[in-house]
Amino acid sequence: MAENPFSLEGQVVLVSGAGRGMGLACAKLIAQCGGTVALAARTQSQVEAGAEAIRAAGGQAQAFRIDVGAIERHDAFLDEVEAACGELRGLVNVAGVSPSFARADQLTPEHFDAIQQVNQRGTFFLTQAVAKRWIEREVGGSVVTISSTAARFGLPRLSAYAMSRAAVEAMSKTMAAEWGFALTAPIRVNCVAPGWMATEFTGEIPAWYASKTENHAALRRWGQPEEVAGAVVYLLSEAARFVTGEVIDVSGGYGPAARPAR
């Protein structure tokens, strides 16, 4: 094992959805741990600002624009990333959308498809594209996908989003089983499932709804993006070399059992 098993020194890691929130927090901590980070998101100005902040702090980072749902662009995008940063050894899937806050009986096919296009389909095929490179080169790697506690607990008005997060958990477990022993070098695949996090993404949730969620967490608060990043770095690192096919909750103890007794 490395002297510091949590070090990412010499590792190149791609983070999708890195323009803000959890993706940006993950990118910053990866860089602090010695990794070179490729920040990718749909909004170029956001990833450029994030990469500049990382470089100003002494880290190594480059910015790239990608719509994860545009799967026909994945290979060319990965060529661009590796030409600028070096060969990837880690992938963190954070990119996700949730354009609808409708009850299941009111959800439109257009909103349903938009969520699955990015959260499920785009995540699958970006992971596949990265893994193909590792398999071809006979090198290992680590994939970490951001899921959500919504995958296991009923969250009203978020049915399509919850379905998309359950899908990536099933995806990760299956990929872990397929790529764990049959390759020259294993590819580890895991998920981190945050609870309610204070981000721009969740800032769009109505106040009446958000106020009810804290009572479902044992710690009685929402988390911060930085509190997710530690679990992601652990799963990328040598410290987690025997961890694959797992889902790590970072939720403050979220669940029905955490409701107040009175």
Side-chain angles (χ1 to χ4, degrees):
M1 182 186 285
E3 185 175 332
N4 176 6
F6 295 96
S7 172
L8 298 178
E9 196 72 37
Q11 304 266 358
V12 180
V13 181
L14 169 61
V15 182
S16 74
R20 60 182 188 170
M22 288 184 287
L24 180 57
C26 290
K28 288 181 175 179
L29 188 57
I30 289 165
Q32 287 176 27
C33 293
T36 297
V37 191
L39 294 85
R42 287 182 296 181
T43 306
Q44 183 77 26
S45 59
Q46 290 181 342
V47 285
E48 286 178 350
E52 178 56 35
I54 289 171
R55 290 192 294 265
Q60 300 181 72
Q62 297 289 336
F64 303 89
R65 185 186 181 282
I66 184 65
D67 178 354
V68 170
I71 65 172
E72 70 282 357
R73 280 274 304 134
H74 287 175
D75 283 329
F77 163 70
L78 292 175
D79 286 343
E80 181 185 355
V81 169
E82 294 198 320
C85 301
E87 291 187 359
L88 289 169
R89 294 303 298 276
L91 169 65
V92 182
N93 292 306
V94 186
V97 298
S98 185
S100 174
F101 193 66
R103 290 198 326 247
D105 58 290
Q106 299 169 347
L107 184 66
T108 67
E110 292 76 18
H111 278 151
F112 182 91
D113 290 345
I115 291 169
Q116 309 312 322
Q117 176 74 15
V118 175
N119 298 13
Q120 182 179 161
R121 192 169 184 265
T123 297
F124 176 91
F125 284 105
L126 181 59
T127 303
Q128 182 196 71
V130 171
K132 281 181 176 180
R133 294 175 180 236
W134 293 340
I135 293 167
E136 192 174 289
R137 295 168 186 162
E138 298 187 343
V139 298
S142 177
V143 178
V144 183
T145 297
I146 298 299
S147 174
S148 170
T149 51
R152 275 153 292 144
F153 299 108
L155 296 183
R157 297 176 180 264
L158 291 170
S159 57
Y161 176 78
M163 290 169 65
S164 74
R165 292 321 195 189
V168 297
E169 291 189 6
M171 174 197 85
S172 298
K173 290 176 182 292
T174 304
M175 288 176 171
E178 290 183 348
W179 298 338
F181 71 94
L183 308 179
T184 303
I187 297 172
R188 296 187 297 105
V189 190
N190 293 286
C191 285
V192 172
W196 288 97
M197 293 285 149
T199 66
E200 295 91 339
F201 186 80
T202 55
E204 300 171 3
I205 298 293
W208 64 265
Y209 186 103
S211 67
K212 298 178 182 295
T213 62
E214 290 184 354
N215 285 338
H216 290 268
L219 295 183
R220 294 297 190 271
R221 66 174 177 87
W222 281 24
Q224 298 296 320
E226 295 77 14
E227 294 174 311
V228 173
V232 170
V233 165
Y234 163 68
L235 290 171
L236 290 170
S237 75
E238 274 294 296
R241 68 194 186 283
F242 198 56
V243 180
T244 194
E246 299 295 340
V247 179
I248 297 179
D249 278 14
V250 181
S251 66
Y254 185 87
R259 293 173 181 168
R262 65 176 189 274

